[in-house]
Amino acid sequence: MKLSTPAQAAGTVQIHRVHFNSPGKDARSNSSLNGEWVQLKNTSRSAVSLKGWVLKDASNHKYSFPNVTLGAGKYVKVHTGSGRDTASDKYQGRRAYVWNNTSDTATLTKSNGSKVDTCSWTTRNGSDKYC
């Protein structure tokens, strides 16, 4: 598997979609918490290491990626609640919602703090945003 260099990784991983309003009543059940997620996409032809990268909201709730490699053209969802990590789904293990339903900003940064991508929304209608 060919890995991108840090310079090549810039701009190749994007916030693809944010599902900020989980279905049903916000009851803080694990199922409801996992109904809110951020999906990233690797748009390059090479795998990208996300180790140490950070996904955060406007209130600075942070999720740091462990030793994760995102394959070329692949997607990964970062869920708010708890679960068993797989190649396509990661879990923050939180017991409270992260993404605000009315407005928020998802920001993805590299381990050195440089910004990779952002996605913002301001809406009272709907439950997700394609970025």
Side-chain angles (χ1 to χ4, degrees):
M1 167 181 9
K2 180 181 170 188
L3 281 174
S4 293
T5 66
Q8 291 169 325
T12 61
V13 177
Q14 300 172 345
I15 299 172
H16 177 70
R17 184 178 177 191
V18 180
H19 198 277
F20 53 84
N21 188 1
S22 60
K25 187 176 179 180
D26 287 349
R28 286 193 180 183
S29 68
N30 193 53
S31 175
S32 180
L33 290 167
N34 284 331
E36 92 172 2
W37 43 260
V38 175
Q39 185 179 51
L40 307 179
K41 180 181 182 182
N42 178 356
T43 61
S44 77
R45 293 183 182 175
S46 300
V48 176
S49 172
L50 302 181
K51 183 177 182 180
W53 288 30
V54 174
L55 178 65
K56 66 181 182 175
D57 70 343
S59 297
N60 213 29
H61 295 102
K62 296 178 180 179
Y63 170 76
S64 295
F65 285 87
N67 192 10
V68 172
T69 299
L70 186 57
K74 299 293 183 183
Y75 296 85
V76 64
K77 283 184 185 176
V78 179
H79 300 269
T80 298
S82 297
R84 192 171 135 273
D85 286 352
T86 67
S88 59
D89 293 279
K90 303 299 177 195
Y91 297 87
Q92 296 188 51
R94 295 184 180 273
R95 294 184 179 149
Y97 299 97
V98 172
W99 308 106
N100 294 327
N101 294 351
T102 54
S103 67
D104 210 340
T105 299
T107 302
L108 180 65
T109 59
K110 292 184 185 177
S111 56
N112 66 7
S114 64
K115 190 182 296 183
V116 176
D117 198 14
T118 63
C119 179
S120 298
W121 59 93
T122 303
T123 182
R124 293 189 184 273
N125 300 318
S127 59
D128 64 349
K129 162 95 186 228
Y130 283 92
C131 307

